[in-house]
Amino acid sequence: MLFWLGCAAFALTILISVSLHELGHMITGKRFGMKVTQYFVGFGPTIFSFKRGETEYGLKAIPLGGFCKIVGMTPQDDDVLPEDQPRAMWRFPVWKRTIVMSAGSITHFLLALAGAWAMAATVGLPNIHLPQTSADQRSYPAIIDVGECLPVQTELKKLDADAQKAAASAECKPGVNGAIVPPAKAAGLRTLDRITKVGQTPVENYGQLTDAIRASAAGPTVFEYVRDGKPGSATVNLISDERAPIEDPKGKVSVVSVAGLGWDTDQPYVVKYSVAGAVPAAGEYGWYLVENSFKAMGKIPQKIPALWHSITGDERDPDTPISVIGASRLGGEAIEKGVPEVFWQIFISLNVFIGLFNLLPLLPLDGGHIAIAWYERVRSALYKRLRRPDPGRVDYYKLMPLTYAVILIGGAFTLLTATADIINPITIFK
């Protein structure tokens, strides 16, 4: 029950975010004197509406977004009454149109900053200064994490395909499907031990630790470590197993020596701030999300094959994009597991991503309208300098094929992610 309540709650937060996005357009448009005739939450048949002033407000049956109607967004709009022509949006200065069109994304950014500030001052924000990838971990101190169970890949490969798939999703237990107690644990090493030497090889960081282990022969190997400021040693019985390169987890696997340990840190994973200190912390966290959102958008094309394969039976790559359905499922998991801070982290990240995505210079996104407005402004200035007649406004009808192509590609991608989220969803808890 908590899972479904969490899903519904997250879907509601997204609906509210999108409604506030449209509210940003409406408020700024009205402030500048543009005529806004409609503001609705949802699409489809109208459930109820009322008119206040010149604007109709209401709720529609399909809660998948919202819209506001600003008169005369383009010169080609043919539904502008003669008396409304002076207030048509396209007639306003380009800087005013830019503010109105970007107000939706700015609203998302403000929601994200407010959410980040609230988290920073209450439950804390993720420590963004810790390494985010396996490659990043290599330069950090060789502080280890020692688990309770180690799946042995060479043993798993002896199982049939169905058993391998079941084992991948099942809890690891020593003695089941070839899993063992990690050699590091069996030797007495503990989480947060800092390894200083493997055999005869000194170790200063986690990358050197991994290289030293993999370069060692399988069998008894002495590990020297520091625990609570005191030195110690343990003999680890290294095993041979298949591993991908540490800097490329999806690279070609090879048989190497394995101790059954991972990277850890003595630094906090979550940092809590004072009310005042939460302000710059929220800004720093927001910028971190901006950078990672751009990286994620750049990787979308290469993730499409993995999305398709996840629908046809392969394991879902946790780095593949998700739809509103997938985000809502993750929000539901967070509530079910009693970690609402994860719920809000997803909400904050999603608002940053939506805000940035909406500013891409492609029609029908807001960024496409902004790009055209500034293209017209620069072109007019250039023609004026060249003492040539102003070429006038861009003909949006000529851009319709490109607009339809963007809509088609976006729709297909949305359908693909939604299908993957239903058939083979990403999960953050196992």
Side-chain angles (χ1 to χ4, degrees):
M1 178 62 75
L2 279 177
F3 171 76
W4 294 111
L5 286 174
C7 289
F10 195 87
L12 180 61
T13 63
I14 296 175
L15 178 62
I16 292 172
S17 294
V18 175
S19 301
L20 292 175
H21 170 116
E22 297 300 331
L23 187 65
H25 291 316
M26 185 187 75
I27 290 174
T28 51
K30 282 178 171 287
R31 287 288 185 182
F32 287 135
M34 300 174 189
K35 185 172 183 179
V36 182
T37 57
Q38 289 183 314
Y39 174 81
F40 274 83
V41 176
F43 298 104
T46 300
I47 296 176
F48 75 86
S49 70
F50 63 92
K51 194 166 185 178
R52 180 169 295 174
E54 60 189 12
T55 306
E56 181 185 11
Y57 302 85
L59 177 69
K60 290 185 176 286
I62 305 173
L64 294 179
F67 68 93
C68 78
K69 170 66 175 175
I70 302 178
V71 169
M73 286 187 65
T74 76
Q76 285 74 43
D77 286 1
D78 55 7
D79 59 349
V80 183
L81 298 175
E83 60 267 27
D84 292 334
Q85 284 292 344
R87 298 176 64 192
M89 182 178 182
W90 70 269
R91 295 184 182 276
F92 283 73
V94 65
W95 68 269
K96 290 186 177 181
R97 285 183 283 153
T98 299
I99 291 175
V100 173
M101 295 309 301
S102 61
S105 288
I106 291 172
T107 301
H108 286 295
F109 298 147
L110 291 175
L111 285 171
L113 284 172
W117 174 83
M119 279 194 64
T122 54
V123 297
L125 289 174
N127 188 346
I128 61 175
H129 300 293
L130 294 179
Q132 304 299 313
T133 66
S134 298
D136 293 339
Q137 292 170 1
R138 290 184 61 87
S139 61
Y140 279 71
I143 298 174
I144 63 171
D145 171 69
V146 181
E148 299 293 326
C149 182
L150 177 66
V152 181
Q153 300 303 315
T154 51
E155 294 296 322
L156 284 173
K157 287 188 174 182
K158 295 177 182 178
L159 305 175
D160 59 47
D162 290 339
Q164 287 185 34
K165 188 173 182 180
S169 58
E171 181 182 358
C172 181
K173 294 181 179 180
V176 178
N177 295 323
I180 62 172
V181 174
K185 180 176 178 60
L189 292 177
R190 300 178 188 173
T191 295
L192 296 184
D193 285 348
R194 180 169 61 85
I195 307 301
T196 58
K197 196 172 186 180
V198 176
Q200 300 301 315
T201 306
V203 168
E204 294 184 1
N205 56 47
Y206 186 69
Q208 293 178 358
L209 169 62
T210 304
D211 294 341
I213 292 173
R214 295 188 175 190
S216 301
T221 304
V222 175
F223 280 54
E224 295 184 12
Y225 61 85
V226 175
R227 178 185 300 161
D228 298 327
K230 300 178 181 179
S233 65
T235 301
V236 180
N237 191 24
L238 301 177
I239 65 166
S240 295
D241 198 13
E242 293 182 345
R243 290 290 186 275
I246 189 75
E247 67 278 1
D248 183 13
K250 296 182 181 179
K252 184 178 180 180
V253 300
S254 59
V255 176
V256 296
S257 293
V258 173
L261 50 80
W263 178 84
D264 206 338
T265 180
D266 55 2
Q267 300 301 306
Y269 283 90
V270 175
V271 182
K272 188 176 178 181
Y273 301 85
S274 65
V275 172
V279 175
E284 185 182 26
Y285 184 64
W287 184 248
Y288 164 81
L289 292 178
V290 168
E291 292 178 330
N292 281 275
S293 293
F294 277 120
K295 292 177 183 177
M297 281 189 276
K299 293 178 180 178
I300 285 178
Q302 69 190 61
K303 296 294 183 180
I304 292 177
L307 272 172
W308 175 256
H309 293 316
S310 70
I311 294 174
T312 57
D314 286 2
E315 184 178 354
R316 180 76 180 268
D317 182 349
D319 290 331
T320 50
I322 59 175
S323 66
V324 172
I325 296 172
S328 298
R329 288 186 62 96
L330 294 178
E333 280 190 35
I335 297 300
E336 182 184 36
K337 301 297 182 182
V339 282
E341 60 269 26
V342 175
F343 180 103
W344 291 113
Q345 283 179 33
I346 300 171
F347 169 77
I348 293 166
S349 301
L350 191 62
N351 269 282
V352 171
F353 185 87
I354 292 174
L356 291 173
F357 186 83
N358 197 56
L359 290 176
L360 292 178
L362 296 170
L363 290 174
L365 301 176
D366 292 338
H369 291 282
I370 294 172
I372 289 174
W374 281 100
Y375 167 76
E376 291 174 338
R377 180 71 180 85
V378 171
R379 184 177 64 171
S380 295
L382 180 61
Y383 271 57
K384 183 178 181 180
R385 181 175 290 274
L386 296 175
R387 298 182 178 180
R388 296 173 59 184
D390 192 322
R393 303 291 181 172
V394 168
D395 186 349
Y396 274 75
Y397 287 124
K398 292 181 179 180
L399 297 175
M400 291 306 291
L402 178 60
T403 303
Y404 285 136
V406 172
I407 293 172
L408 180 63
I409 294 171
F413 181 74
T414 300
L415 180 61
L416 180 64
T417 53
T419 303
D421 288 336
I422 294 171
I423 295 176
N424 193 357
I426 292 174
T427 179
I428 51 179
F429 299 99
K430 291 188 177 180

